[in-house]
Amino acid sequence: MMPFFQEDRPDWERDGADWPNREASRFVEAGGLRWHVQEFGKPEAPVLLLLHGTGAATHSWRAFAPLMAEEFRVIAPDLPGHGFSDPLSPRELSLPGMARAVTELLRILGVTPVVAAGHSAGAAVLCRMCLDRAIDPRLLIAINGALKPFPGAASFLFPTMARMLFLNPVTPKFFAWTADRSAVKRLIDGTGSRLDMAGLDLYKRLFAKSGHVAGALGMMANWDLESLDRELPKLQQETVLVVGGDDRAILPETSFAVHDRLSHARVELMRGLGHLAHEEAPERVAEIVLREARTAGILAEAPASI
């Protein structure tokens, strides 16, 4: 049975009328879902896949993606149940299910990412895809990646609470009714990030829709990071763990613990930034990705300044 609240989803003509980078948007049918996808850059450029985190959408890359488009062909979808993309069925609403769905989208698009960058839960999806050999990027970027279970009892309590809220028909609607700008600001501030009013209003627009809230809750309710955590040492891709020093959603120590278990990884600490580092300082994060892509030989070295 499909979730009862999915009908109140963001409407492209109304809620997306002034969506960031709207001219880069299109809708694609893949795996039984209608996906909202943004694409930037030249078709012949190396492909960069961007996956946002739980509760976000393509707007999360609004300033970052155009910067990357100078060197890459950028593919950025709304994940299932988020933004303007259809939700997954309940039996596919899991980390492996999300990974399979994105894999099918890439197949329909006919693209093979050379670089893959994910924020928070988006990084977990990319790691799952790499471990499943669905993709094999030469460079993997995790921006405040949600790659380990919550510590202690929280590893059980948080998913269980999310599952209970997801199954309660009142929860998404109640959250949507109360998602005014001040509530959204408190939520974003709680992650250690500071966004401008335009950024907060975009999150408010999404959180005002119970279907989007249900998509975020459903994602968290079925997020099994225990299996991913056990398999992470098998990850073979060159990996950069970009860490916001002020992240309160996923503590910086998490990425350092992940780093210690990966043979091809290093940490890039960004002081003064929170969980949404790529929204707070897109130029700084873009500089890291471009530098790492050049070091890996994916991009030509930048010409020396005179």
Side-chain angles (χ1 to χ4, degrees):
M1 184 173 64
M2 295 296 289
F4 33 74
F5 23 68
Q6 66 175 358
E7 68 279 2
D8 185 21
R9 300 208 49 80
D11 178 82
W12 180 242
E13 297 308 319
R14 182 183 64 248
D15 303 305
D18 59 347
W19 196 249
N21 302 308
R22 182 184 167 99
E23 67 282 357
S25 292
R26 61 175 170 137
F27 287 84
V28 178
E29 300 286 337
L33 305 179
R34 184 173 185 257
W35 297 73
H36 171 234
V37 181
Q38 292 194 327
E39 185 170 340
F40 308 79
K42 298 177 182 178
E44 66 274 14
V47 173
L48 165 62
L49 173 64
L50 299 178
L51 295 187
H52 63 76
T54 307
T58 48
H59 78 282
S60 190
W61 308 111
R62 59 192 176 279
F64 181 80
L67 293 173
M68 292 292 96
E70 296 176 11
E71 299 282 356
F72 291 98
R73 177 185 176 187
V74 181
I75 306 292
D78 284 347
L79 288 174
H82 290 68
F84 303 96
S85 289
D86 286 346
L88 286 169
S89 66
R91 62 191 178 89
E92 284 295 305
L93 195 55
S94 64
L95 179 51
M98 189 76 74
R100 286 191 293 269
V102 177
T103 299
E104 178 62 12
L105 173 64
L106 297 181
R107 188 187 72 81
I108 293 298
L109 292 175
V111 298
T112 301
V114 178
V115 180
H119 170 246
S120 194
V125 175
L126 291 176
C127 287
R128 184 71 266 165
M129 293 170 71
C130 289
L131 290 166
D132 293 342
R133 300 188 179 182
I135 58 173
D136 185 19
R138 291 173 59 185
L139 182 61
L140 179 63
I141 309 287
I143 304 170
N144 291 321
L147 303 179
K148 286 184 69 64
F150 291 105
S155 64
F156 169 77
L157 292 175
F158 282 9
T160 301
M161 290 173 62
R163 193 172 298 116
M164 292 172 62
L165 293 171
F166 174 69
L167 294 172
N168 187 333
V170 176
T171 303
K173 294 180 180 180
F174 177 78
F175 191 98
W177 289 335
T178 58
D180 57 18
R181 182 187 286 173
S182 61
V184 171
K185 186 176 187 304
R186 287 194 298 273
L187 181 64
I188 298 298
D189 287 353
T191 71
S193 290
R194 297 292 182 269
L195 298 184
D196 59 20
M197 286 299 105
L200 291 173
D201 283 343
L202 287 164
Y203 278 103
K204 173 182 174 294
R205 189 182 309 183
L206 293 176
F207 291 157
K209 297 296 178 180
S210 60
H212 178 83
V213 175
L217 286 174
M219 193 170 174
M220 289 188 290
N222 294 280
W223 219 237
D224 175 19
L225 290 176
E226 296 282 355
S227 298
L228 180 67
D229 186 48
R230 286 193 298 270
E231 294 184 58
L232 268 184
K234 300 177 184 177
L235 201 64
Q236 295 300 308
Q237 285 72 22
E238 291 292 331
T239 303
V240 179
L241 303 166
V242 179
V243 181
D246 293 343
D247 191 350
R248 293 187 219 154
I250 299 174
L251 297 181
E253 303 91 89
T254 302
S255 291
F256 285 94
V258 169
H259 165 266
D260 291 342
R261 301 175 64 220
L262 298 180
S263 58
H264 304 282
R266 71 178 197 81
V267 174
E268 186 74 33
L269 180 63
M270 304 191 73
R271 300 187 186 280
L273 298 179
H275 190 59
L276 299 170
H278 60 296
E279 295 191 48
E280 295 178 273
E283 297 86 358
R284 288 174 62 186
V285 179
E287 182 181 349
I288 292 172
V289 177
L290 291 171
R291 185 190 68 219
E292 294 296 329
R294 292 189 179 105
T295 300
I298 298 167
L299 299 177
E301 288 293 332
S305 57
I306 300 175

